[in-house]
């Protein structure tokens, strides 16, 4: 089969399409999927640079989500799945290929009204946002929610699901075009972080109170400002470190306003934990997708042979929504 290998850690040119050994038959509780499309995620670019190695036993090829058709079933796969089913899946790796083996607990049906290719842009964002903001930070109807990077794949999804659930949504983004896209998806307050101080604007829009939950992919350089933007009992959830991992911070606000800082990724979680998240996503998010309230936002698709180009685009951060690869 064809797959995208990382020749050696480095820039986008390190990604090379190769003819590689066929995958083994799926093991117990696993299925073999013919990949129709794979989502490109920021984490893939970090893996390519050699800074995010795959966990033990995971595929060496990048790709944390895909859509496709079931080709074969291993032993003891739940009876709901059959050869020929159209699915999308959360992966530990291996999506940048023509085929991938997936634990059955990480499969989702392609939602009604979504094309097979576009469904590849849902699993990673849906599982990330649902497991963090909802399952852990317990964002609730009537609360307020600040999303940094509102025009990213995660941001475009988070805006829609939060609005659907009755939350007031604030976003930051770095251009008027991106902010307009966020507004079009339902964001209530759109802040250009290049020209405005987001803390001041959040305070102004909330009568000095702050927001209840923040989803942050920046990390160190935003930590103090995020704490300063939270309301009493506010929760900050960190899912990335685009602004570094270290900083100096005044913790006084945490005590005074009972703030919580949370952080997590998806990839290194146990199979059981991932299966639980996927099951919650199917129960809570999939109906909103099927009813058209939440849509995958696809910016551009590339053939598998142009994986390097897809990473170049991802690293310019000029996209709005998801980038996909098509084998």
């Amino acid at each position: 089969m064809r797959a995208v290998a990382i020749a050696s850690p480095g820039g986008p040119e390190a990604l090379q399409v190769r003819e590689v050994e066929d995958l083994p038959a799926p093991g117990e509780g696993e299925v073999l999927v013919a990949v129709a499309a794979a989502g490109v995620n920021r984490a893939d670019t970090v893996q390519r640079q050699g800074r995010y190695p795959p966990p033990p036993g995971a595929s060496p090829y990048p790709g944390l989500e895909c859509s496709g058709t079931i080709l074969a079933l291993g032993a003891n796969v739940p009876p709901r799945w059959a050869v020929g089913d159209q699915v999308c899946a959360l992966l530990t790796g291996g999506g940048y290929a023509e085929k991938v083996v997936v634990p059955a607990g990480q499969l989702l049906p392609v939602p009604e009204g979504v094309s097979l290719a576009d469904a590849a842009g849902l699993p990673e964002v849906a599982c990330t946002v649902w497991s963090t903001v909802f399952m852990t930070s317990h964002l609730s109807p009537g609360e307020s929610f600040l999303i940094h990077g509102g025009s990213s794949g995660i941001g475009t999804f988070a805006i829609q699901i939060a609005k659907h659930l009755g939350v007031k949504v604030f976003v930051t983004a770095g251009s008027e075009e991106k902010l307009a896209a966020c507004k079009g998806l339902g964001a209530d307050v759109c802040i250009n972080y290049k020209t405005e101080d987001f803390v001041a604007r959040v305070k102004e829009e909330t009568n000095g109170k702050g927001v209840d939950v923040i989803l942050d992919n920046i990390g160190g350089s935003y930590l103090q400002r995020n704490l300063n933007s939270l309301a009493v009992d506010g929760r900050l959830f960190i899912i990335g470190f685009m602004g570094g991992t270290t900083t100096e911070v005044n913790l006084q606000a945490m005590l005074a306003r009972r703030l919580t800082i949370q952080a997590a990724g998806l990839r290194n979680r146990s199979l059981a934990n991932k299966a639980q998240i996927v099951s919650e996503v199917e129960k809570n998010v999939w109906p909103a997708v099927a009813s058209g309230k939440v849509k995958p936002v696809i910016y551009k698709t590339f053939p598998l042979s142009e994986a390097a180009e897809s990473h170049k685009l991802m690293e310019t951060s000029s996209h709005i929504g998801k980038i996909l690869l098509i084998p």
Side-chain angles (χ1 to χ4, degrees):
M1 67 170 190
R2 283 161 65 249
V4 174
I6 299 168
S8 61
E13 67 289 343
L15 298 178
Q16 295 180 357
V17 178
R18 294 179 180 167
E19 195 64 42
V20 299
E21 211 172 308
D22 219 346
L23 295 171
E28 177 148 358
E30 295 179 332
V31 304
L32 178 66
V33 172
V35 176
V40 176
N41 289 281
R42 183 81 52 182
D44 305 340
T45 67
V46 185
Q47 177 175 337
R48 189 204 71 227
Q49 293 160 8
R51 296 189 291 126
Y52 190 39
S59 167
Y61 314 121
L64 298 173
E65 61 185 339
C66 73
S67 61
T69 306
I70 296 180
L71 289 175
L73 307 172
N76 300 321
V77 167
R80 70 174 291 194
W81 303 115
V83 170
D85 283 354
Q86 293 197 336
V87 293
C88 53
L90 183 69
L91 308 173
T92 314
Y96 291 19
E98 290 179 323
K99 294 179 229 173
V100 67
V101 171
V102 189
Q106 288 163 227
L107 292 173
L108 288 151
V110 171
E112 217 175 304
V114 175
S115 73
L116 180 59
D118 284 2
L122 285 170
E124 179 75 17
V125 293
C127 291
T128 295
V129 173
W130 194 260
S131 66
T132 56
V133 174
F134 294 96
M135 290 171 73
T136 311
S137 297
H138 303 295
L139 179 63
S140 307
E143 287 196 314
S144 53
F145 176 36
L146 169 60
I147 304 158
H148 289 303
S151 58
S152 66
I154 281 180
T156 53
F157 175 84
I159 293 167
Q160 295 179 81
I161 192 69
K163 284 307 298 175
H164 173 61
L165 295 170
V167 168
K168 183 170 183 179
V169 174
F170 294 65
V171 298
T172 63
S175 74
E176 293 312 307
E177 184 198 4
K178 288 178 175 181
L179 293 169
C182 294
K183 194 152 201 61
L185 291 169
D188 298 287
V189 179
C190 302
I191 305 164
N192 186 330
Y193 68 83
K194 291 182 178 168
T195 59
E196 285 187 89
D197 170 10
F198 72 79
V199 183
R201 184 78 191 280
V202 162
K203 288 289 176 67
E204 183 192 321
E205 297 279 351
T206 57
N207 299 321
K209 286 202 329 235
V211 292
D212 297 299
V213 175
I214 299 176
L215 183 62
D216 174 54
N217 58 349
I218 304 296
S221 63
Y222 268 24
L223 182 57
Q224 188 71 61
R225 283 184 282 170
N226 280 331
L227 295 179
N228 296 347
S229 302
L230 283 169
V232 172
D233 290 318
R235 293 86 77 194
L236 166 62
F237 208 110
I238 300 171
I239 55 166
F241 300 112
M242 289 171 65
T245 55
T246 58
T247 188
E248 188 169 303
V249 64
N250 181 336
L251 297 172
Q252 186 59 42
M254 290 193 70
L255 191 102
R257 298 204 304 284
R258 301 189 297 274
L259 306 182
T260 305
I261 300 176
Q262 301 161 320
L266 274 178
R267 191 180 199 179
N268 293 307
R269 292 174 183 258
S270 68
L271 288 179
N273 195 201
K274 285 182 188 170
Q276 183 200 357
I277 291 167
V278 166
S279 162
E280 291 284 322
V281 163
E282 184 172 359
K283 191 167 79 190
N284 295 290
V285 176
W286 252 223
V289 179
S291 69
K293 298 280 192 285
V294 175
K295 295 183 166 82
V297 177
I298 310 300
Y299 183 72
K300 193 165 184 190
T301 58
F302 291 87
L304 198 61
S305 58
E306 290 176 25
E309 293 304 312
S310 76
H311 276 216
K312 281 179 193 161
L313 173 60
M314 169 69 72
E315 289 177 327
T316 66
S317 291
S318 60
H319 60 291
I320 293 169
K322 294 289 293 190
I323 301 166
L324 303 181
L325 288 175
I326 310 284

